[in-house]
Amino acid sequence: MKYFMRGLGQKFKAYLPEYKEIIIEGYNTKPYSAYIYAYENICSVFASDYTLLNDLIIFLKEIFLISFTKYLTDQDSFEYNQEITNDFFGLLFHLLKLNPVILFNLDILEDLISLIISKLGFIHIDSLKNLFYFLELFVTFERKQSSKLIDENTKKFYFEEKVCKLVKKHGHEIIKNFITLTVYKTNKNLFTYLKDFVIILIEMFREDCIQWFGNCLQFIPSDCLTQSEQIKLINYIKGADASGVKDSLKNFYKRCEIRYCRMRTFN
């Protein structure tokens, strides 16, 4: 269908309202990720058409609401509907590349980011990759050549008014999730993605991370990091010692693995 739309170009615009109705009606009926992919195909052809911008934003909101009020309602449903979780998060990072304006003008962007942060702990590997790839692209948005469709001033505005404000609002929750998920889920794939994302946050929001980590040290059991090791981690962050931070976090995970094995043995 993407190539058919591309072949017709502007002539296909006349059929978009009807095609949208088919997608929404079908997605409301069946939890098929093909409907998410159909929206992505539309964006891949028409994201640069600013006469359709508002329609694409509203359409994305409808896809979001159906996904998270009907099919992805709790942790179990995230695991059960793995194709939807995979393709939805994949859609988000593709939108940042196709035309960031669609995402940054979504009136439920904060709700979307809040929901993603609350779901950092699910394990389905493909969905996990797409989720963290989106978060990384979102946070490092200003550094990337995300789109030729926006100028530098607009990119800077989105970064300061959307990205920075949302990261600063939810940073404490991200670090708390990182710590508690590492301690109590102790999954290597999950830890790897969390660690890499947290290191990006430390690099970009160092002063905030010092405070976030400082406030969350209480969630680290002493057999995962001793008090002196916790202080060392904070000092590594303060001193912009990337190597020290990485070593501390790897040591943290290794201790969590030992703790997890020990608790399984005793239980």
Side-chain angles (χ1 to χ4, degrees), residues 3 25 27 45 56 63 66 74 78 87 89 106 121 123 142 151 168 176 192 196 201 221 248 250 266:
Y3 300 108
E25 183 179 342
Y27 194 36
V45 176
L56 293 177
I63 294 288
I66 294 171
D74 55 31
F78 266 69
D87 286 340
F89 296 128
L106 188 67
I123 301 299
E142 193 181 27
D151 57 40
K168 288 173 183 286
K176 181 182 176 182
T192 299
D196 291 347
L201 288 185
S248 287
K250 287 178 183 176
F266 289 140

Side-chain angles (χ1 to χ4, degrees), residues 46-88:
F46 294 105
S48 61
D49 187 337
Y50 276 78
T51 66
L52 292 174
L53 184 61
N54 195 53
D55 290 333
L56 293 177
I57 293 169
I58 293 171
F59 197 176
L60 176 61
K61 183 176 180 178
E62 290 179 278
I63 294 288
F64 170 86
L65 292 174
I66 294 171
S67 298
F68 291 98
T69 61
K70 199 158 189 175
Y71 304 127
L72 304 177
T73 54
D74 55 31
Q75 193 70 23
D76 290 338
S77 65
F78 266 69
E79 299 290 346
Y80 181 76
N81 293 302
Q82 291 181 357
E83 285 191 357
I84 291 180
T85 62
N86 182 20
D87 286 340
F88 185 82

Side-chain angles (χ1 to χ4, degrees), residues 239-250:
D241 186 341
S243 178
V245 169
K246 290 177 183 177
D247 288 343
S248 287
L249 296 182
K250 287 178 183 176

